[in-house]
């Protein structure tokens, strides 16, 4: 028997296989009034969207397995219909529930394919005449053997009455899972916007490319949920790719990598990123296959870094399990790759400019009054004018005046440039 619920492109299904465990012989039917109590309790449990969709399914199946003995399985199809989350619960036989979850994760869950019919049609399904033998015959041989050994014959068949009290719970579960996913998506968007802002500030405040790239990679790991990432920059003297920054690797040999010209074709660096699965065949064609195998990577994605219409490098992502990116994931990766390409190009232009400019001795520290030095120190620390005024017992207008004076004396255009100059030249 299954119930279903769907909203906003997400669909869910709840399945119960009436298979009492040896420790609890005999089926147990819901008693009058009890389903309403269960539904009220579930409303309290899953009202918090911060649970997350999978936690919602866990709460529902766990509660139901305490009311109607058997193995309860909940399915949740994501925005990408190829992705399905499966959660199972059996209070009296938890090993059975874990086995079903593992079977789905391994892609071997064809034995419960009739649940797909409920999800596709949105209509509840009751199969009172499905015998235990008929059900077992839908399973692969090894799964069939497991069920035969671990599950006794059910003694209480499922009825229309069971379906009537289960359907409202399935509907509520679908709504709760959808709300939880919307909440998670909103939080993810806010976090990614904050990450982009942080990256742009890092680019503006630091002239050190490696430091900027490390900030970018930290946000890549957090915002995209991958295990490791690196930035490979094109050496235009020979076209090879050189590692400039990396994060998340267990091996200490990653910085030594230099990929020969053409290892990642330049025309591919201008394509939209795509995720590749690192199966045995795919690994055999990679120069770094030994490293990837040692690290345990199973998914790989390369995002080209482009600036002024030409490739300057690649941002590589690695994950130790399958990746299932959606459009928002790819859009965030595109945005981060864009910032990274600009950072790499800016650093290259600065380096080229330093080589073409005649060397001149660094200017000494500017002549500043004691008060101006105090204000400069606070500006370098990122203190606002209001906070500086409070710390030095001055008015904000007085602080603004002195900041303008300091900018004129050192030839800086803004506070960020002033802080960078003071740090680089060692004025403080």
């Amino acid at each position: 028997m299954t119930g279903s619920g769907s909203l906003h492109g997400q669909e869910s299904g709840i399945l119960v296989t009436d298979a009492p465990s040896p420790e609890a012989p005999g089926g147990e039917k819901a008693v009058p009034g009890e389903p309403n109590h269960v539904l009220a309790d579930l409303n309290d449990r899953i009202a918090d969207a911060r649970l997350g969709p999978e936690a919602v399914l866990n709460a529902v199946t766990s509660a139901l397995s305490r009311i109607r003995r058997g193995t309860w399985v909940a399915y949740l199809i994501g925005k990408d219909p190829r992705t399905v989350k499966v959660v199972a619960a059996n209070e009296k036989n938890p090993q059975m529930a874990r086995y079903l979850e593992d079977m789905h994760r391994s892609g071997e869950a064809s034995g419960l394919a009739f649940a797909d019919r409920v999800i596709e049609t949105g209509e509840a399904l009751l199969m009172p005449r499905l015998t235990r033998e008929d059900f077992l015959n839908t399973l692969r041989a090894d799964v069939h053997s497991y069920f035969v050994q671990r599950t006794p014959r059910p003694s209480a068949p499922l009825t229309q009455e069971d379906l009537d009290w289960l359907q409202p719970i399935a509907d509520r579960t679908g709504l709760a899972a959808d709300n939880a996913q919307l909440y998670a998506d909103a939080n993810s968007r806010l976090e990614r916007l904050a990450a982009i802002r942080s990256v742009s500030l890092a680019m503006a405040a630091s002239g050190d490319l490696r430091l900027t790239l490390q900030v970018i990679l930290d946000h890549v790991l957090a915002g995209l949920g991958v295990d490791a990432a690196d930035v490979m920059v094109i050496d235009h003297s020979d076209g090879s790719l050189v590692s400039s920054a990396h994060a998340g690797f267990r091996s200490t040999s990653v910085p030594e990598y230099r990929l020969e010209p053409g290892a990642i074709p330049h025309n591919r660096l201008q394509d939209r990123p795509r995720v590749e699965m690192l199966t045995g065949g795919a690994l055999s064609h990679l120069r770094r296959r030994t490293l990837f195998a040692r690290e345990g990577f199973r998914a790989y994605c390369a995002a080209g870094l482009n600036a002024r219409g030409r490739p300057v490098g690649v941002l590589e992502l690695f994950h130790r399990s399958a990746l299932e990116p959606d459009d928002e994931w790819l859009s965030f990766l595109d945005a981060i790759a864009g910032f990274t390409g600009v950072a790499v190009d800016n650093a290259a232009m600065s380096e080229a400019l330093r080589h073409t400019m005649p060397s001149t001795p660094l200017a000494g520290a500017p002549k500043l009054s004691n008060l101006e030095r105090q204000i400069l120190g606070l500006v370098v620390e990122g203190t606002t004018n209001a906070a500086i005024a409070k710390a030095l017992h001055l008015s904000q207008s007085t602080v603004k005046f002195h900041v303008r004076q300091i900018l004129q004396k050192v030839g800086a255009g803004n506070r960020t440039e002033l802080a960078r100059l003071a740090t680089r030249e060692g004025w403080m």
Side-chain angles (χ1 to χ4, degrees), residues 166-179:
L166 177 60
Q167 186 60 62
I169 295 176
D171 293 339
R172 180 68 179 90
T173 303
L175 177 62
D178 186 63
N179 287 340

Side-chain angles (χ1 to χ4, degrees), residues 192-270:
R192 288 170 178 175
L193 286 173
I196 289 173
R197 181 176 182 273
S198 178
V199 167
S200 64
L201 289 174
M203 290 173 58
S206 174
D208 186 335
L209 177 62
R210 286 187 177 272
L211 177 60
T212 300
L213 294 182
Q214 209 60 54
V215 170
I216 289 173
L217 291 181
D218 288 344
H219 285 296
V220 165
L221 297 189
L224 295 175
V226 293
D227 291 322
D230 68 15
V231 174
M232 304 286 287
V233 176
I234 296 175
D235 182 345
H236 291 286
S237 66
D238 62 4
S240 61
L241 285 163
V242 184
S243 177
S244 290
H246 66 280
F249 291 88
R250 296 168 182 162
S251 173
T252 58
S253 62
V254 176
E256 303 172 5
Y257 274 103
R258 175 184 285 265
L259 299 182
E260 67 276 5
I264 302 178
H266 287 189
N267 60 349
R268 181 184 168 183
L269 299 182
Q270 295 179 306

Side-chain angles (χ1 to χ4, degrees), residues 190-388:
L190 288 174
E191 290 169 0
R192 288 170 178 175
L193 286 173
I196 289 173
R197 181 176 182 273
S198 178
V199 167
S200 64
L201 289 174
M203 290 173 58
S206 174
D208 186 335
L209 177 62
R210 286 187 177 272
L211 177 60
T212 300
L213 294 182
Q214 209 60 54
V215 170
I216 289 173
L217 291 181
D218 288 344
H219 285 296
V220 165
L221 297 189
L224 295 175
V226 293
D227 291 322
D230 68 15
V231 174
M232 304 286 287
V233 176
I234 296 175
D235 182 345
H236 291 286
S237 66
D238 62 4
S240 61
L241 285 163
V242 184
S243 177
S244 290
H246 66 280
F249 291 88
R250 296 168 182 162
S251 173
T252 58
S253 62
V254 176
E256 303 172 5
Y257 274 103
R258 175 184 285 265
L259 299 182
E260 67 276 5
I264 302 178
H266 287 189
N267 60 349
R268 181 184 168 183
L269 299 182
Q270 295 179 306
D271 294 339
R272 185 172 174 81
R274 67 177 183 272
V275 173
E276 301 176 15
M277 297 308 298
L278 297 177
T279 59
L283 275 175
S284 65
H285 295 93
L286 294 173
R287 181 181 183 274
R288 294 170 290 175
R289 58 186 175 276
T290 302
L291 170 67
F292 291 174
R294 187 166 64 247
E295 290 277 348
F297 294 138
R298 293 293 174 267
Y300 169 80
C301 182
L305 308 180
N306 297 281
R308 295 182 292 154
R310 62 186 182 89
V312 296
V314 60
L315 171 60
E316 296 183 303
L317 311 180
F318 310 88
H319 200 52
R320 296 184 176 94
S321 58
L323 277 175
E324 297 168 343
D326 56 22
D327 286 340
E328 289 188 6
W329 191 95
L330 291 170
S331 295
F332 177 67
L333 174 56
D334 273 338
I336 289 292
F339 279 104
T340 309
V342 171
V344 169
D345 190 55
N346 286 347
M349 287 194 295
S350 297
E351 184 67 20
L353 185 61
R354 278 195 293 272
H355 281 90
T356 57
M357 293 289 289
S359 59
T360 55
L362 292 176
K367 294 181 179 180
L368 302 175
S369 67
N370 289 336
L371 177 59
E372 288 173 336
R373 287 189 176 280
Q374 285 181 285
I375 293 174
L376 176 59
L378 292 170
V379 168
V380 169
E381 293 174 3
T383 312
T384 65
N385 284 348
I388 294 173

Side-chain angles (χ1 to χ4, degrees), residues 93-173:
N93 189 1
Q95 293 85 359
M96 176 65 72
R98 299 292 79 79
Y99 180 80
L100 285 172
E101 290 181 343
D102 292 342
M103 193 167 62
H104 278 270
R105 275 193 289 268
S106 66
E108 299 173 350
S110 58
L112 299 177
F114 57 82
D116 294 340
R117 172 179 161 187
V118 176
I119 294 175
E120 290 172 1
T121 64
E123 297 178 358
L125 173 65
L126 175 64
M127 303 179 71
R129 294 187 180 86
L130 181 67
T131 66
R132 180 173 184 268
E133 287 69 25
D134 288 339
F135 173 75
L136 293 175
N137 287 336
T138 67
L139 307 175
R140 292 188 304 108
D142 56 335
V143 182
H144 179 286
S145 175
Y146 181 92
F147 271 82
V148 168
Q149 296 171 12
R150 299 298 181 93
T151 61
R153 293 177 179 274
S155 59
L158 296 164
T159 67
Q160 182 63 42
E161 182 182 350
D162 292 304
L163 188 64
D164 291 342
W165 71 263
L166 177 60
Q167 186 60 62
I169 295 176
D171 293 339
R172 180 68 179 90
T173 303

